[in-house]
Amino acid sequence: MRAAPQSAFLERLEHLLGAGGLLTAESDAAPFLVDQRELYRGKAIAVALPDTAQRVADVLELCNERGIAVVPQGGNTGYCGGATPDESGAQLLVSLKRLNRIRTVDALNYSLVAEAGCVLADVQRAADEADRFFPLSLGSEGTCQIGGNLSTNAGGLHVLRYGMMRDLVLGLEVALADGRLLSALTALRKDNTGYDIKSLFLGAEGTLGIITAASLKLYPRMSTAATAFAAVRDPRAAVQLLARLREASGDRVSSFELIPRLAVELTTRHIPGVRDPLDAPHAWYVLCELASARPADGLDAVLTESLQQALGAGLLTDAALARNEGERAGFWRLRETIPEAQRRDGASLKHDVAVPVAAIAQFIERAGAWVRANVPDGRLIAYGHVGDGNLHFNLNQAPGADRAAFMARGEAIKRVIHDMVVREFDGSFSAEHGIGRLKVGELERYAPPVELDLMRAVKHALDPNGILNPGKVLR
Ligand code: FAD
Ligand code: 2HG
Ligand code: ZN
């Protein structure tokens, strides 16, 4: 990997990063150079593993001086190739995995400070140990990192109640392109002192700075949950059920996920231990959960009564309530392993779209009809965070279909779906997964020109030499 002109740079880096801070052997670097969907395979000068915020800043200062591009990487679970270097071999990959301390937990202030490389599940655990709750929850939470969550503005399973990652942040510490460290780890809830600079780095996918730590909001720990896996008449009924549940529970709905029959078939077939919670097959399901910090909130009764009324109103056809933690975990395992089951089943085309919650059903009807008429070699799996208006409108290669031919039509299919989402439904072609490298062209196509101009101006102000994750988000 080491070419002669690079050796002086690598020596400086080695010195800067200390023992165990730099990987240069190809076999050591290899796992960092491919994204989880295997859409992109890159090369890198080396992989830097800084273990302090100051070292991250020092790496950036050196790279800025030499004009060397830097690609930040968290848990590498992203969907858009944002954490993968290009094929030039001229970029430095900076992994945050060693920057993984929980610096402080302040139960009274309902906040904690975590370094960027902390795995999300470890942050959840640290909050739990302090009798608090950190609400961000994703299927990838055992691997993805807080820095990646902040940089993609991750969504997931509790957005409906707690918002996206952006809504869970009080302050940030960020290494800037020129090597300065922005220290703004405030624990304040109120602070109207000028522009909200931290918000620039949230969802910026490593193009404006490298986040090294964050001050995060905590909530009271949930002590009771009522969870149901219910067969709904159709997506329209699902949205009506959600509205009823929010009302009946005093807005204690913490998750509301739409699941089609094919997702149940794929997870039960491909993922060991997953079983269909209901006796007979149904076209559509929802996995819904009410949660409360008060043990005696009677959530089971609220959920049972609401589901019975919905059954009477023809919105539901069947439902199973989790009777214990094991059953609840089983329902969630089915939901959270849909992406893995899709992967094991074959090639897939993914569309992470959002439309207003009230328009979800109409979107599924229109876009679903188009898919059935035009993509005979694909099977639709439209699922996800219906409570947030966010669908993973995915297509899997049909059994026996030619993989290459199916994938080759991806661009044309994407155009129809994204045009429909943006132009007919005022929706988004990237609800929660970001832009990365995958959707740069889509952003250029759909973002208002003034917004793109402003994005480029911000990029130029913070990274005038263009060293931070070039080719991602903007080009
Ligand atoms: P990476 O993939 O490593 O990086 C993502 C981007 O952030 C890249 O552009 C990278 O350069 C940048 N970056 C990483 N760390 C930093 C840093 N410290 N400073 C600056 N830039 C940085 N996403 C959802 O939103 N909701 C879901 O429900 C969800 N479920 C998932 C389920 C599965 C099974 C999988 C595999 C993924 C899922 N994801 C989901 C996608 C993914 O987990 C999220 O996007 C997550 O936030 C990425 O975190 P990461 O640490 O893996 O980031
Ligand atoms: C989820 O909600 C993730 O499970 C993954 O965001 C979505 O694979 C996908 O399309
Ligand atoms: Zn999702």
Side-chain angles (χ1 to χ4, degrees):
M1 189 188 292
R2 186 178 298 209
Q6 286 165 354
S7 63
F9 168 69
L10 288 172
E11 270 163 34
R12 282 279 309 275
L13 263 185
E14 243 159 15
H15 177 71
L16 248 169
L17 290 162
L22 193 69
L23 305 176
T24 52
E26 260 176 50
S27 55
D28 291 338
F32 298 86
L33 303 180
V34 59
D35 71 300
Q36 56 99 359
R37 285 191 71 201
E38 301 188 21
L39 298 176
Y40 301 103
R41 237 165 244 283
K43 293 190 182 128
I45 306 173
V47 174
L49 298 157
D51 59 355
T52 67
Q54 190 55 53
R55 280 182 159 149
V56 177
D58 292 344
V59 168
L60 289 186
E61 186 178 13
L62 177 66
C63 290
N64 200 37
E65 266 167 35
R66 311 254 170 144
I68 292 185
V70 171
V71 180
Q73 187 175 97
N76 200 15
T77 66
Y79 266 91
C80 301
T84 310
D86 68 14
E87 295 78 22
S88 68
Q91 303 186 324
L92 177 71
L93 191 132
V94 176
S95 164
L96 280 303
K97 65 187 282 187
R98 292 208 306 164
L99 195 63
N100 62 356
R101 286 161 289 254
I102 305 281
R103 291 192 192 160
T104 55
V105 182
D106 187 341
L108 193 58
N109 195 56
Y110 281 80
S111 64
L112 64 70
V113 174
E115 292 183 342
C118 288
V119 169
L120 172 55
D122 292 337
V123 172
Q124 295 168 342
R125 206 167 298 122
D128 193 63
E129 282 164 9
D131 213 15
R132 296 289 178 259
F133 179 56
F134 181 63
L136 191 77
S137 173
L138 320 176
S140 54
E141 65 198 22
T143 312
C144 65
Q145 299 174 6
I146 285 298
N149 302 148
L150 294 158
S151 301
T152 56
N153 185 27
L157 305 165
H158 292 148
V159 174
L160 165 71
R161 175 103 164 252
Y162 299 97
M164 296 182 74
M165 188 66 194
R166 178 185 294 287
D167 303 302
L168 304 173
V169 183
L170 296 171
L172 288 184
E173 179 186 77
V174 186
L176 302 177
D178 60 10
R180 284 179 299 165
L181 200 58
L182 167 72
S183 257
L185 284 173
T186 175
L188 299 176
R189 312 270 154 171
K190 287 187 148 183
D191 183 14
N192 279 349
T193 48
Y195 302 143
D196 183 10
I197 292 296
K198 75 170 181 310
S199 71
L200 290 176
F201 300 97
L202 303 170
E205 302 180 55
T207 62
L208 300 180
I210 299 190
I211 297 170
T212 51
S215 173
L216 302 172
K217 285 185 200 169
L218 302 180
Y219 287 82
R221 187 152 65 125
M222 293 296 131
S223 56
T224 45
T227 313
F229 191 88
V232 284
R233 187 193 63 216
D234 53 23
R236 201 170 294 274
V239 174
Q240 285 164 355
L241 175 64
L242 170 63
R244 284 170 172 239
L245 274 176
R246 288 188 65 177
E247 218 175 294
S249 69
D251 232 353
R252 286 187 184 77
V253 183
S254 53
S255 297
F256 197 88
E257 299 283 314
L258 184 70
I259 299 173
R261 177 66 201 163
L262 185 54
V264 174
E265 284 172 14
L266 295 191
T267 49
T268 50
R269 183 177 322 144
H270 295 296
I271 311 289
V274 172
R275 52 173 283 278
D276 184 345
L278 301 178
D279 296 331
H282 301 268
W284 292 97
Y285 307 86
V286 292
L287 171 51
C288 54
E289 189 160 282
L290 311 183
S292 171
R294 284 168 22 127
D297 240 0
L299 295 182
D300 272 328
V302 173
L303 187 57
T304 309
E305 197 186 317
S306 297
L307 293 180
Q308 268 163 358
Q309 283 172 2
L311 209 64
L315 301 179
L316 297 188
T317 42
D318 196 4
L321 247 84
R323 284 166 300 189
N324 52 50
E325 190 49 37
E327 284 188 357
R328 175 176 175 254
F331 294 176
W332 276 112
R333 187 165 159 74
L334 187 160
R335 164 61 186 91
E336 290 184 349
T337 55
I338 297 172
E340 178 57 18
Q342 262 204 284
R343 196 181 64 77
R344 293 188 192 180
D345 199 62
S348 51
L349 301 169
K350 302 204 167 202
H351 310 92
D352 167 35
V353 303
V355 299
V357 176
I360 280 266
Q362 203 192 352
F363 173 74
I364 294 178
E365 281 156 23
R366 291 260 281 282
W370 184 86
V371 167
R372 280 188 297 279
N374 294 282
V375 193
D377 53 349
R379 297 198 291 177
L380 181 61
I381 311 183
Y383 71 95
H385 322 292
V386 67
D388 317 323
N390 175 196
L391 277 180
H392 299 305
F393 195 84
N394 297 344
L395 276 74
N396 252 50
Q397 137 192 35
D402 180 73
R403 182 187 182 102
F406 172 67
M407 291 306 281
R409 293 174 52 218
E411 281 296 310
I413 294 169
K414 177 181 80 184
R415 184 58 51 239
V416 174
I417 304 296
H418 286 175
D419 275 358
M420 194 184 290
V421 164
V422 176
R423 300 195 168 140
E424 292 175 40
F425 286 85
D426 286 330
S428 169
F429 64 88
S430 181
E432 61 169 7
H433 293 159
I435 302 295
R437 187 162 156 187
L438 185 69
K439 297 185 184 167
V440 175
E442 301 301 283
L443 187 68
E444 287 169 353
R445 180 180 173 90
Y446 297 114
V450 177
E451 203 169 299
L452 268 181
D453 278 357
L454 292 176
M455 285 190 205
R456 291 194 175 111
V458 170
K459 169 74 177 169
H460 186 71
L462 289 176
D463 181 22
N465 298 326
I467 63 153
L468 285 167
N469 221 358
K472 315 290 169 51
V473 184
L474 297 170
R475 62 182 160 197

